[in-house]
Amino acid sequence: MVITDIKVRKLFDEGPMKAIVSVTFDGQLAVHDIKVIYARDKFFIVMPSRKNPDNTYRDIVHPINAQFRGVLEEAVIAAYNKELELAKEAAETESSEAETITE
């Protein structure tokens, strides 16, 4: 199974949840609402889940083995880091354009 696309849907500054991501596999299957979490000094992903009547959560979709989880986690976190860099560059560009206009 090949990861053909990763879209960072939303970034968060506050709290342990840093992003919500969608991943497409083989150009045919999309999984939405994968969360990028930063806790205990490391990044990891949390798969989409639903809340059960007893207030526990159950994953709706999840990797079957640790090897694929590692591949998926590495790809998603790399896409998150790339999106952070793009957002930082866009903010710097906006800031320098605003300075140019006010001068």
Side-chain angles (χ1 to χ4, degrees):
M1 183 172 286
V2 176
I3 298 169
T4 51
D5 189 36
I6 300 175
K7 287 187 173 49
V8 178
R9 300 284 181 193
K10 188 166 186 170
L11 294 171
F12 300 94
D13 293 327
E14 301 296 319
M17 184 166 55
K18 298 301 178 188
I20 297 176
V21 177
S22 294
V23 178
T24 304
F25 298 94
D26 293 336
Q28 299 182 57
L29 175 69
V31 177
H32 302 288
D33 297 335
I34 297 173
K35 296 169 184 73
V36 176
I37 306 292
Y38 183 75
R40 298 183 187 143
D41 299 323
K42 70 175 196 163
F43 285 96
F44 58 94
I45 61 171
V46 174
M47 299 304 291
S49 62
R50 70 170 183 211
K51 192 173 185 177
N52 295 320
D54 64 355
N55 290 330
T56 59
Y57 289 87
R58 182 174 180 193
D59 286 349
I60 297 168
V61 176
H62 61 87
I64 297 298
N65 59 52
Q67 180 184 4
F68 186 68
R69 177 176 280 280
V71 168
L72 179 60
E73 193 166 71
E74 185 177 309
V76 167
I77 292 169
Y80 164 73
N81 286 327
K82 183 178 178 182
E83 190 69 23
L84 275 182
E85 285 299 315
L86 291 172
K88 182 179 177 183
E89 288 172 12
E92 289 172 355
T93 300
E94 281 183 22
S95 176
S96 50
E97 286 176 359
E99 287 177 11
T100 303
I101 292 171
T102 58
E103 289 178 354

